[in-house]
Amino acid sequence: MGIIIISGTFVLVVLGFGNPLYWLAAVALLYVYVQSGRGSSSSTSSPGSTPGPGTAPTSYKAYRARRDLQAKWERRYERERSK
């Protein structure tokens, strides 16, 4: 799929020398490809697993699991700090 998108973008860029609207089409094609690529990369993980730091949870259950884990570590930190 990536090869098709890249070659299509290349063709649109080459055609863009005659008509600049093709350049806009190439940019739009790359934008849609990048956006759909981000969405599909997170769907490869199992739905119940917690995402890595800096990524949004995919479901409310995953969000709660991450929030509870964070609260556990914060309580542990407070206990160790207060000793």
Side-chain angles (χ1 to χ4, degrees):
M1 179 72 176
I3 299 295
I4 295 170
I5 299 295
I6 298 301
S7 62
T9 302
F10 178 75
V11 167
L12 287 172
V13 167
V14 170
L15 290 174
F17 289 106
N19 186 357
L21 284 177
Y22 287 121
W23 285 342
L24 293 175
V27 170
L29 181 66
L30 285 177
Y31 177 77
V32 169
Y33 177 68
V34 168
Q35 290 300 319
S36 67
R38 287 185 187 158
S40 66
S41 65
S42 66
S43 65
T44 59
S45 65
S46 63
S49 68
T50 57
T55 59
T58 57
S59 69
Y60 184 68
K61 186 176 180 181
Y63 162 74
R64 279 190 2 212
R66 178 125 173 107
R67 182 193 63 187
D68 293 345
L69 185 64
Q70 181 69 28
K72 174 184 156 187
W73 281 106
E74 287 175 359
R75 286 191 301 270
R76 185 179 201 182
Y77 176 75
E78 284 298 321
R79 274 196 315 266
E80 290 177 358
R81 193 167 177 228
S82 64
K83 288 183 180 180

